[in-house]
Amino acid sequence: MTTHRATFTVDLTPGEPVPGAAGRFELSKTWGGGAAGTSRGVMLTAGDPATGSASYVASELFEGTLDGREGTLALQQLGTMAGGDPELQYVIAPGSGTGELAGLTGTLLIGTIDEDGTHHVTIELD
């Protein structure tokens, strides 16, 4: 297993509603550190975060470099919160890599989030 550290900032723009989802957002991220590039995707939400019970799914396409290797990867997220306790699964979609990133699989772990919205991430490649 190989580990890389990266950061990203995210911009969310409300999108057209989707049946069965409380909200739909277009997302764009700017990545730095061990993963440098951009990603774009869609997030669907459900539940009521104000009550401590909610969830989201997101799919995004990263384009850039990971540890100096260039290509694209699809990233998928599933976040849930029940009773205020968050849980997150954030993975590289198997078979999604192109270029020098072809064949990569792994997980992403979000560590801290700075006040300015910068997310600190650990990427663990299988």
Side-chain angles (χ1 to χ4, degrees), residues 8-108:
F8 69 78
T9 56
V10 61
D11 289 315
L12 293 175
T13 305
E16 291 296 316
V18 173
R24 177 182 183 275
F25 299 88
E26 303 291 328
L27 64 87
S28 62
K29 293 179 180 175
T30 302
W31 293 79
T38 59
S39 61
R40 299 203 180 287
V42 176
M43 174 188 287
L44 301 176
T45 65
D48 183 2
T51 66
S53 295
S55 68
Y56 78 92
V57 293
S59 183
E60 63 189 280
L61 184 65
F62 169 83
E63 182 175 5
T65 60
L66 178 58
D67 193 31
R69 296 183 286 177
E70 190 172 349
T72 64
L73 291 170
L75 305 173
Q76 296 179 329
Q77 300 174 55
L78 169 62
T80 59
M81 180 171 56
D85 293 325
E87 222 177 279
L88 177 65
Q89 295 176 337
Y90 198 164
V91 300
I92 297 171
S96 69
T98 67
E100 296 173 305
L101 303 181
L104 292 183
T105 59
T107 59
L108 288 78

